[in-house]
């Protein structure tokens, strides 16, 4: 239950004075629908009204706050001309200019003979000093209030700065003084942070450009709060998992030995180390939750298989879950002969297995007739029972949500969980998505891999590229041709896969296939299969090929509009080639003009093939939110924290969360209580439920 002190913050913004339904709608699109959302909608700029010159000294183009005596109103004879009010100080006359003026209002706001404070942008018009539509008009006692620095917020249609600033000020008035501090006091002192309420107020009242920087103390503190909530929530989920009864899964190695003997290669040192780490986890009486991070082509599948074999040796069952149908089938095809060599039974379960075949499969899983199952998320649907599931491997490629991953093991099956991810995630992002999860990294590629020759070319060179592809085909290569969208969109000028397919058929003949995301599953598989098993050909594809499909003799890849792809995605795509012993080439075609960021991205692609380095560079270039597509990646979104700027704080938050739970695992101390409030403040309610008295 959310603590009462937070109730006002989670009310809708319509609870604020002056905010009606229409305004609430506008606020919702830019900030959110609740009072607390306005807290996290921080200023993006400021207007400094402290410059208070005399009229004669006022610099044109600058915002000035001036104290003047109103002299006379000049109502134009022609309503299309502006209404003017002349005011002056001892140095000169200032013309206040109003278009479409309401004379009544102006007479009240600027009575002749009275002193008024006006604030706005100064202009020189001929010899006249002017201010058109002053932002503020006030009396002399209001000078102090007017001559300040105003925050500027990101806005949206139907929302003016004045209105949003007012709503935000009202929201800030509701901010409570929390009775306890949730951050470790020495840290607060060391960083020179203030208490939450003050920090929040200061973040919304920047006194200069420095206060807008993410590292400004007020903003850093709020970011730390958010990161701490994130890390504490993850640590709680994890602690809870560790408390669930696990089991020691100890195999005798007999199946692994058979499969190793059947493999046409020996394992890399990275694969061996990773396997040792996995096996140690499985043999321990607690539950495993381990992430294997390995670049495309680093050989994760065989590692997963070995772990699954260990589970089967111990008398249990194991599953391998893939994010797509194609991948599940490919894994099954890889594993089947090896499982046969080991003398165990493998089953495949996706949404497409139906009727009798499906029934037989389910029966095999339930009675133990099947030792090892490969499939899609269909494996975890209702009605799928296992005789004794010991290990679940999730080849996730960012398609499964964090929550799904972390709670999978809590579904009462007592399973060890191994997650495999192909996009190397920068360490900072790893922490936010997985917390202090055990990680193994496959840093080494299998021997014999040739580096990929990557070149960057403008789209204008298309003819040359097609000629080059034609030569490659003649030389026996298979070629991927990647287009960013399925259908032609003239507006966006995106090369369409279908049109490109036609074009290449004309240029190169019949051996050009097509696969895209809108095709039926069976058609997609058929196209992939024809490409994988048939003679050299070109496969025109949208990004569906991104996810793991293995065609070792594909050695050329053309990516059109490479400038539209993120680095991580380009790297994923490129990982589809260079998987065999032959040298590969990747051609990145771009449409001019290239943005600065796009240019930098393509340069990095040319420079390195190291997925970990690429991921770090991507984080630097784009910021975390955008990095992998937050929704798809299951990475959490942050409201205040900026992972590029606050990476150091994230590390501190991680250590702090760990220490907190070591000392006070139920969050019962005074600080523990404050931390519970923090979790609710950042809506990590689910994590609080893991506490005994949550
Ligand atoms: P990914 O990590 O992208 O899932 P895969 O598991 O699909 O990579 O492996 C890519 C290719 O490398 C496969 O063809 C696989 O058989 C091969 N492979 C895996 N391990 C080794 C190794 N140690 N030596 C040589 N080839 C390997
Ligand atoms: Mg794979």
């Amino acid at each position: 239950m959310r603590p009462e002190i937070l109730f006002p913050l989670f009310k809708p913004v319509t609870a604020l004075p002056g905010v009606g339904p229409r305004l609430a709608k506008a606020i919702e699109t830019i900030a959110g629908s609740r009072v607390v959302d306005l807290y996290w909608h921080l200023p993006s700029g400021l207007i400094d009204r402290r410059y208070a010159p005399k009229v004669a000294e006022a610099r044109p183009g600058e915002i000035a706050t001036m104290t003047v005596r109103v002299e006379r109103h000049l109502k134009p004879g022609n309503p299309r001309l502006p209404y003017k009010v002349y005011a002056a100080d001892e140095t000169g006359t200032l013309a206040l200019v109003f278009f479409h003026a309401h004379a009544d209002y102006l007479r009240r706001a600027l009575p002749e003979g009275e002193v008024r404070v006006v604030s706005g942008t100064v202009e020189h018009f001929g010899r006249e000093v002017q201010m058109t539509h002053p932002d503020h008009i006030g009396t002399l006692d209001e000078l102090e209030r007017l001559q300040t620095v105003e925050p500027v917020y990101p806005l949206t249609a139907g929302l003016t700065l004045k209105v949003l600033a007012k709503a935000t000020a009202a929201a800030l008035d509701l901010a409570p003084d929390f009775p306890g501090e949730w951050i470790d006091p020495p840290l607060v002192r060391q960083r020179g942070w203030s208490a939450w309420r003050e920090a929040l107020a200061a973040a919304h009242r920047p006194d200069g450009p420095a206060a807008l920087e993410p590292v400004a103390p007020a903003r850093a503190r709020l970011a730390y709060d958010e990161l701490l909530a994130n890390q504490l929530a993850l640590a709680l989920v994890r602690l809870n998992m560790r408390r669930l009864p696990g089991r020691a899964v100890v195999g005798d190695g007999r199946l692994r030995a058979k499969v190793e003997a059947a493999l046409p290669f020996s394992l890399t040192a990275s694969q061996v180390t990773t396997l040792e780490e996995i096996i140690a986890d499985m043999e321990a009486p607690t539950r495993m939750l381990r992430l294997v991070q390995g670049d495309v082509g680093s050989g994760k599948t065989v590692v997963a298989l070995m772990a699954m074999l260990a589970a089967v040796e111990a008398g249990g069952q194991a599953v391998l879950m893939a994010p797509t149908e194609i991948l599940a089938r490919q894994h099954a095809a890889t594993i089947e002969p090896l499982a046969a060599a080991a003398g165990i039974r493998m089953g495949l379960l996706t949404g497409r297995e139906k009727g009798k075949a499906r029934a037989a499969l389910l029966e095999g899983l339930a009675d133990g007739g099947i030792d090892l199952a490969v499939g899609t998320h269909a494996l975890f649907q209702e009605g799928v029972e296992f005789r004794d599931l010991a290990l679940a491997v999730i080849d996730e490629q960012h398609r499964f949500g964090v929550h799904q991953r972390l709670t999978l093991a809590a579904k009462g099956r007592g399973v060890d969980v191994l997650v495999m991810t192909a996009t190397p995630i920068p360490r900072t992002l790893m922490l936010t998505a997985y917390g202090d999860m055990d990680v193994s990294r496959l840093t080494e590629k299998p021997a014999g891999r040739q580096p990929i020759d990557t070149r960057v070319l403008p789209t204008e060179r298309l003819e040359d590229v097609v000629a080059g592809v034609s030569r490659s085909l003649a030389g026996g290569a298979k070629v991927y041709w990647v287009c960013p969208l399925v259908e032609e969109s003239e507006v966006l000028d995106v090369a369409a896969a279908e049109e490109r397919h036609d074009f290449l058929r004309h240029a190169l003949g019949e051996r050009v296939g097509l696969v895209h995301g809108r095709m039926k599953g069976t058609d997609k598989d058929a196209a992939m299969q024809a490409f994988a098993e048939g003679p050299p050909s070109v496969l025109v594809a949208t990004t569906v090929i991104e996810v793991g499909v293995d065609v070792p003799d594909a050695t050329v890849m053309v990516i059109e509009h490479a400038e539209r792809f993120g680095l991580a995605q380009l790297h994923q795509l490129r990982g589809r080639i260079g998987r065999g012993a032959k040298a590969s080439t990747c051609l990145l075609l771009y449409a001019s003009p290239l943005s600065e960021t796009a240019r930098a991205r393509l340069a990095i692609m040319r420079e390195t093939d190291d997925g970990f380095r690429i991921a770090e560079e991507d984080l630097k270039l784009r910021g975390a939110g955008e990095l992998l597509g937050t929704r798809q990646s299951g990475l959490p979104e942050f409201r205040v924290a900026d992972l590029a700027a606050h990476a150091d704080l994230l590390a501190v938050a991680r250590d702090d969360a760990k220490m907190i739970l070591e000392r006070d695992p139920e969050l019962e101390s005074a600080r523990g209580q404050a931390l519970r409030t923090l979790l609710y403040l950042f809506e990590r309610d689910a994590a609080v439920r893991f506490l005994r008295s949550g």
Side-chain angles (χ1 to χ4, degrees):
M1 276 270 285
R2 181 183 289 153
E4 228 166 286
I5 195 164
L6 292 178
F7 285 2
L9 311 194
F10 286 89
K11 284 196 178 151
V13 286
T14 45
L16 298 169
V19 180
R22 186 190 285 169
L23 187 53
K25 234 189 176 132
I27 292 176
E28 185 175 350
T29 61
I30 187 90
S33 59
R34 299 146 321 160
V35 172
V36 72
D37 294 318
L38 287 171
Y39 293 174
W40 315 138
H41 190 61
L42 291 172
S44 53
L46 47 82
I47 299 173
D48 193 339
R49 300 195 183 278
R50 287 175 299 189
Y51 176 51
K54 293 291 175 202
V55 171
E57 297 155 1
R59 291 188 293 270
E62 288 201 31
I63 289 176
T65 301
M66 294 190 277
T67 303
V68 288
R69 186 175 298 277
V70 180
E71 289 183 334
R72 73 193 163 92
H73 284 235
L74 185 70
K75 195 174 168 183
N78 180 343
R80 271 180 311 195
L81 292 176
Y83 189 111
K84 282 188 173 182
V85 178
Y86 290 98
D89 65 9
E90 64 274 20
T91 67
T93 298
L94 175 68
L96 302 169
V97 181
F98 301 89
F99 293 90
H100 312 292
H102 292 285
D104 290 350
Y105 161 75
L106 290 176
R107 291 218 171 270
R108 259 180 286 122
L110 295 161
E112 284 173 16
E114 301 278 321
V115 173
R116 285 291 180 266
V117 177
V118 293
S119 186
T121 308
V122 174
E123 290 147 319
H124 285 182
F125 202 79
R127 300 179 64 189
E128 199 166 80
V129 183
Q130 289 189 349
M131 186 183 286
T132 305
H133 293 183
D135 302 322
H136 296 287
I137 300 172
T139 57
L140 200 50
D141 0 319
E142 291 170 303
L143 176 63
E144 206 169 308
R145 195 175 59 76
L146 293 179
Q147 196 190 337
T148 53
V149 180
E150 269 176 25
V152 173
Y153 292 96
L155 296 170
T156 182
L159 192 63
T160 64
L161 180 57
K162 233 178 195 166
V163 167
L164 180 61
K166 209 171 138 224
T168 303
L172 291 172
D173 284 342
L174 294 179
D177 268 316
F178 291 114
E181 173 59 82
W182 47 70
I183 306 180
D184 199 20
L187 182 64
V188 174
R189 277 196 300 276
Q190 178 212 326
R191 300 264 171 171
W193 288 339
S194 39
W196 179 78
R197 194 173 194 276
E198 279 169 55
L200 183 68
H204 282 276
R205 217 191 319 103
D207 55 7
L212 296 169
E213 297 289 326
V215 293
R219 287 198 181 216
R221 178 199 157 123
L222 298 181
Y224 186 76
D225 289 344
E226 185 171 36
L227 294 169
L228 183 60
N230 162 268
Q231 290 299 298
L232 190 59
L234 286 169
L236 276 168
V237 173
R238 184 170 165 71
L239 182 70
N240 186 65
M241 259 194 43
R242 286 210 186 277
R243 280 192 192 133
L244 293 171
R247 66 197 243 198
V249 177
V250 185
D252 57 12
R254 97 199 111 85
L255 300 176
R256 279 170 278 169
K258 279 188 197 163
V259 168
E260 232 187 301
L263 286 173
F265 48 75
S266 50
L267 298 179
T268 65
S270 261
Q271 284 170 322
V272 170
T273 315
T274 297
L275 258 172
E276 281 168 1
E277 288 164 350
I278 295 167
I279 298 299
D281 283 357
M282 289 172 68
E283 291 184 349
T286 47
R287 290 193 185 206
M288 168 168 75
L289 180 56
R290 179 170 288 276
L291 179 76
V292 174
Q293 256 196 304
D295 217 339
V296 269
S298 59
K300 292 182 291 295
T301 318
V302 71
V303 170
L305 176 61
M306 290 295 182
M308 292 194 284
L309 292 172
V312 177
E313 286 164 13
Q317 291 165 294
V319 299
L320 170 58
M321 183 159 86
T324 64
E325 177 104 32
I326 299 188
L327 262 183
R329 289 185 187 280
Q330 172 153 22
H331 282 324
T334 310
I335 289 172
E336 184 118 60
L338 294 168
I344 62 171
R345 289 139 302 179
M346 192 209 84
L348 171 67
L349 182 64
T350 72
R352 246 202 277 152
E353 271 64 47
K354 297 241 163 69
K356 272 210 195 107
R358 182 183 169 86
L361 208 88
L362 293 185
E363 200 180 303
L365 294 176
D367 68 13
I370 292 172
D371 305 296
L372 203 157
V374 176
T376 56
H377 56 271
L379 282 168
F380 284 93
Q381 270 161 10
E382 251 176 273
V384 182
E385 303 278 342
F386 294 88
R387 185 182 60 79
D388 182 20
L389 183 63
L391 171 68
V393 182
I394 306 175
D395 189 358
E396 57 130 17
Q397 323 253 9
H398 306 296
R399 305 276 156 137
F400 299 103
V402 181
H403 204 70
Q404 211 176 341
R405 275 193 304 257
L406 293 177
T407 50
L408 201 120
K411 281 190 175 160
R413 295 183 201 258
V415 289
D416 282 331
V417 174
L418 187 65
V419 181
M420 303 197 299
T421 173
T423 304
I425 304 173
R427 178 123 190 92
T428 31
L429 287 189
M430 277 284 313
L431 281 174
T432 63
Y434 303 95
D436 214 3
M437 185 173 178
D438 297 316
V439 179
S440 301
R441 279 182 160 199
L442 290 172
T443 49
E444 187 182 356
K445 296 233 166 114
R449 292 281 161 80
Q450 303 278 340
I452 299 169
D453 177 16
T454 299
R455 296 181 209 168
V456 179
L457 303 166
T459 289
E460 288 74 31
R461 302 264 314 267
L462 189 67
E463 296 287 311
D464 299 344
V465 172
V466 173
V469 164
S470 174
R471 283 194 299 276
S472 299
L473 278 177
K478 289 184 181 176
V479 180
Y480 285 113
W481 189 295
V482 183
C483 306
L485 270 193
V486 181
E487 267 162 6
E488 168 106 272
S489 157
E490 284 188 325
V491 190
L492 295 174
D493 188 27
V494 169
E498 279 163 345
E499 194 180 294
R500 190 53 85 212
H501 177 236
D502 285 348
F503 169 81
L504 289 174
R505 277 202 122 151
H506 274 109
L508 300 169
E510 288 303 299
R511 287 192 324 211
V512 184
L514 174 66
V515 59
H516 61 67
R518 292 200 199 155
M519 279 161 67
K520 268 202 309 209
T522 41
D523 296 346
K524 232 189 285 186
D525 289 4
M528 280 307 309
Q529 199 141 0
F531 181 65
E533 289 163 13
S537 63
V538 178
L539 184 64
V540 178
T542 56
T543 49
V544 288
I545 58 157
E546 186 186 344
V547 282
V549 179
D550 196 19
V551 183
D553 48 351
T555 52
V556 178
M557 177 174 284
V558 178
I559 303 180
E560 285 198 63
H561 282 289
E563 80 281 359
R564 292 180 198 266
F565 290 98
L567 258 183
Q569 209 178 7
L570 286 173
H571 179 64
Q572 283 278 340
L573 286 167
R574 187 173 58 179
R576 301 294 112 222
I577 58 171
R579 306 194 117 202
K582 275 189 254 163
S584 294
T585 308
C586 179
L587 302 177
L588 302 175
L589 300 189
Y590 65 87
S592 309
L594 268 185
S595 74
E596 202 62 28
T597 316
R599 185 181 304 278
R601 244 187 250 147
L602 297 181
I604 291 162
M605 286 301 294
R606 209 174 37 214
E607 214 173 279
T608 180
D609 187 30
D610 175 350
F612 291 105
R613 159 123 196 264
I614 286 176
E616 298 286 352
E617 297 289 341
D618 206 13
L619 179 62
K620 271 187 229 152
L621 285 176
R622 294 211 286 166
E626 237 189 302
L627 185 53
L628 302 157
T630 310
R631 176 143 328 128
Q632 208 190 40
S633 66
L635 292 170
E637 273 184 84
F638 290 103
R639 305 294 303 272
V640 185
D642 166 352
L643 290 179
H646 298 127
D648 65 318
L649 291 182
L650 180 64
V652 179
R654 179 207 47 198
D655 294 346
D656 200 13
K658 204 158 139 190
M659 196 132 68
I660 289 162
L661 292 186
E662 270 163 23
R663 289 193 197 142
D664 182 15
E666 293 297 329
L667 299 183
E668 284 163 331
S669 65
R671 186 176 171 213
Q673 297 294 338
L675 284 160
R676 286 174 181 237
T677 307
L678 174 70
L679 289 170
Y680 282 110
L681 179 63
F682 284 100
E683 298 169 79
R684 300 312 201 265
D685 301 26
V688 188
R689 273 184 233 121
F690 288 118
L691 299 168
R692 228 171 282 144
S693 53

